[in-house]
Amino acid sequence: EMQLVQSGAEVKKPGESLKISCKGSGYSFSTNWIGWVRQMPGKGLEWMGIMYPGDSDTRYSPSFQGQVTISADKSISTAYLQWSSLKASDTAMYYCVKRDSSGPFDYWGQGTLVTVSS
Amino acid sequence: DIQMTQSPSSLSASVGDRVTIDCQASQDISNYLNWYQHKPGKAPKLLIYAASNLATGVPSRFSGGGSGTDFTFTISNLQPEDVATYYCQQYDYLPTFGQGTKLEIK
């Protein structure tokens, strides 16, 4: 069974760093694009970026370029989303997504809630 | 960026009704358009891909159509479990989502 399992909820202070994870199973992790989607409280879905673990090709939404880093360790089928200095405005639910070869996001992780508050 | 404009932003309908949501792209995206259902506390779920193709296991009361810049999503025979927010998403280049349509039951 294909699954994406994300790391647990995080509570951080502004200025702190954070790396959340998403482990894929039941499919070929290296040969499928994996990405991240943000949902801020009470708001809609925003695509952040995507990576091809096989060659580390990474694409970012212009809105998130330079704000986050997407990476992956294909040896353990895990993707990451990282911040070097969190802001209160990073408070949101973050979903990892697997992209089907034809384009749609066919599998979603359960979400990781990140709360940034002083 | 390709902008996606969804309408309406919210909608209330009765069980058994036919419901339609529109999505307009800021430029021609051919049929590179998907629809997702998002229920509170759950992960979003793919319903329709490539504008009109039903994803695996999705009930046939859901359908999609359109191409180019104008797309529609329809639920025929609305059921109580269809209460959710629905999003269109283009994937012609860098993906973008519409702002969502919140569907409630009257």
Side-chain angles (χ1 to χ4, degrees), chain A residues 12-66:
Chain A
K12 292 289 192 180
K13 292 184 173 9
E16 291 185 332
S17 63
L18 176 64
K19 193 174 191 177
I20 62 175
S21 67
C22 169
K23 183 172 177 60
S25 62
Y27 72 99
S28 173
F29 183 82
S30 293
T31 58
N32 284 271
W33 290 84
I34 189 160
W36 293 90
V37 172
R38 182 177 79 174
Q39 185 176 37
M40 298 176 74
K43 302 296 185 183
L45 304 175
E46 300 173 272
W47 177 75
M48 301 176 72
I50 201 161
M51 166 177 267
Y52 189 78
D55 62 7
S56 297
D57 185 6
T58 309
R59 320 269 173 89
Y60 292 94
S61 161
S63 299
F64 292 93
Q65 179 82 48

Side-chain angles (χ1 to χ4, degrees), chain A residues 37 39 43-47 50 59-63 95 99 102-106 108-111, chain B residues 1 32 34 36 38 41-46 48-50 87 89 91 93-99:
Chain A
V37 172
Q39 185 176 37
K43 302 296 185 183
L45 304 175
E46 300 173 272
W47 177 75
I50 201 161
R59 320 269 173 89
Y60 292 94
S61 161
S63 299
Y95 294 99
R99 202 197 84 166
S102 61
F105 300 142
D106 57 349
W108 295 64
Q110 82 276 20
Chain B
D1 283 18
Y32 297 127
N34 307 312
Y36 299 87
H38 192 194
K42 293 198 160 187
K45 176 185 174 184
L46 175 67
I48 302 285
Y49 65 94
Y87 295 91
Q89 177 237 331
Y91 59 106
Y93 180 48
L94 299 179
T96 48
F97 289 93
Q99 72 270 38

Side-chain angles (χ1 to χ4, degrees), chain B residues 2 6-7 10 26 30 36 45 67 69 85 97:
Chain B
I2 298 175
Q6 248 182 271
S7 60
S10 65
S26 59
S30 184
Y36 299 87
K45 176 185 174 184
S67 66
T69 60
T85 300
F97 289 93

